[in-house]
Amino acid sequence: MTSLELFERYEAINKQISDALDRAGRNDSAELIVVTKNHPASLITDLASLGVQNVGENRHQEASQKHNEVLRNVSDGAIDTESQISNLNWHFIGQLQSNKAKAICEWANVIHSIDSQKALNHILLHPNKPKFFLQYSADRDQKRSGLGKEDLFALTELIPETEVKRFLGVMMVAPLNVNPEATFEQLKNVSDELQERYPEAKYISAGMSEDFEIALQYGATHLRIGTAITGKRSSSG
Ligand SMILES: *Cc1c(COP(=O)(O)O)cnc(C)c1O
C-alpha cells in the first residue's frame, strides 16, 4: 500500500468513528489504536508520520523487535518523524502469558489483556508503570483469554490504592458467531458496575475492523483496528 492509500484509509476510518459517535449521541471521543501486528516496523513509522499516536501489537517478541527497530531508526536520523515516534503509545493487546509480562512492560505503555493474578502483579510492580485494562470474557470460552465478571472483580481487589490511577477499565474481544450487540452491552454493564467502585477506570477497549461501529454504540473508548486501515496481514493472527 502506498502512503497515500494508507492515509486515505486512516482518514476514512476516522470519519466512520466520528459518524458513529454522532449516531450514538456521544460528544466524547474514542482513541484509535492502529493494530500493526504481522506488519513490518516501517508501517509503524509511516503511521506515526501520518499522525497516528497509538499502535497495537499482540505478540511480545515481534513487538519488542519492532519497537527497537523504530527507535533505532529515529536515533540514526533515518526518519524525520522523531517527535511523532517519541510520542507514540505502544499497546499490548494479545494473549498475555504471565512469564512475558515483565518483558512486555519494557516496551508497552498500555497493556489491555490482563486476566491473571500473576500477570497483574508483574505489571503492578514494574517500574515503568504501564497503564492497563483487565480483559473480560463474555462467554468464558476456555480457549480464549479473559475473565468472567466475578473473577474480574476479584482481581481488582489486588490493585493497591497507590496504583489505581493506572487502571483504565475493561477490554474484550467479541466472541465469534454471537450477537455482537448483546456482548457489547454486557461489557458496558460490567464497566458501569466497575465504575461504582473505581470511577476512574471508565474506559472500554472494544471494537475491531468488523465491529467498531457497534462497539461505539455501547460506550467503547479504545478501538483496536487493524485490517481496515493496514490491509491484509502477511500471516494470520
Ligand atoms: C488483531 C487484533 C485486533 C485487530 O483486528 P482487525 O480485525 O484487523 O481490526 C484487535 N484486537 C485484538 C486483540 C487483535 O488481536
Side-chain angles (χ1 to χ4, degrees), residues 47-67:
L47 288 165
S49 66
L50 297 179
V52 169
Q53 291 168 354
N54 295 283
V55 291
E57 288 283 338
N58 72 333
R59 288 201 187 84
H60 164 62
Q61 199 174 341
E62 176 189 340
S64 163
Q65 280 170 6
K66 281 153 65 171
H67 183 258

Side-chain angles (χ1 to χ4, degrees), residues 127-138:
N128 287 356
K129 296 188 176 289
K131 294 184 173 164
F132 59 89
F133 291 88
L134 300 184
Q135 184 168 354
Y136 173 67
S137 165

Side-chain angles (χ1 to χ4, degrees), residues 19-174:
D19 289 349
L21 285 166
D22 286 346
R23 282 198 303 278
R26 290 174 55 176
N27 46 28
D28 62 338
S29 58
E31 196 99 74
L32 170 56
I33 298 156
V34 182
V35 178
T36 48
K37 64 188 184 194
N38 300 320
H39 284 286
S42 59
L43 178 73
I44 297 176
T45 321
D46 290 348
L47 288 165
S49 66
L50 297 179
V52 169
Q53 291 168 354
N54 295 283
V55 291
E57 288 283 338
N58 72 333
R59 288 201 187 84
H60 164 62
Q61 199 174 341
E62 176 189 340
S64 163
Q65 280 170 6
K66 281 153 65 171
H67 183 258
N68 290 341
E69 193 177 333
V70 166
L71 297 191
R72 201 177 330 116
N73 287 342
V74 170
S75 59
D76 290 352
I79 50 174
D80 56 7
T81 48
E82 184 168 350
S83 63
Q84 284 108 315
I85 294 286
S86 50
N87 289 331
L88 205 55
N89 288 306
W90 294 70
H91 297 252
F92 181 78
I93 63 172
Q95 192 163 29
L96 180 57
Q97 294 165 264
S98 54
N99 62 353
K100 302 257 175 72
K102 265 193 236 172
I104 290 168
C105 294
E106 295 296 331
W107 59 267
N109 306 99
V110 187
I111 296 175
H112 289 238
S113 41
I114 299 176
D115 65 354
S116 76
Q117 187 173 334
K118 265 192 182 161
L120 176 63
N121 281 333
H122 284 309
I123 287 156
L124 288 171
L125 292 171
H126 201 279
N128 287 356
K129 296 188 176 289
K131 294 184 173 164
F132 59 89
F133 291 88
L134 300 184
Q135 184 168 354
Y136 173 67
S137 165
D139 61 354
R140 296 164 80 179
D141 181 339
Q142 297 293 319
K143 293 190 293 295
R144 293 204 328 268
S145 314
L147 297 167
K149 192 177 94 177
E150 303 302 321
D151 291 338
L152 190 147
F153 279 82
L155 211 53
T156 65
E157 299 293 332
L158 305 175
I159 305 171
E161 208 50 53
T162 53
E163 306 304 316
V164 162
K165 59 184 180 303
R166 294 162 56 193
F167 177 28
L168 296 179
V170 286
M171 177 270 205
M172 183 184 77
V173 179

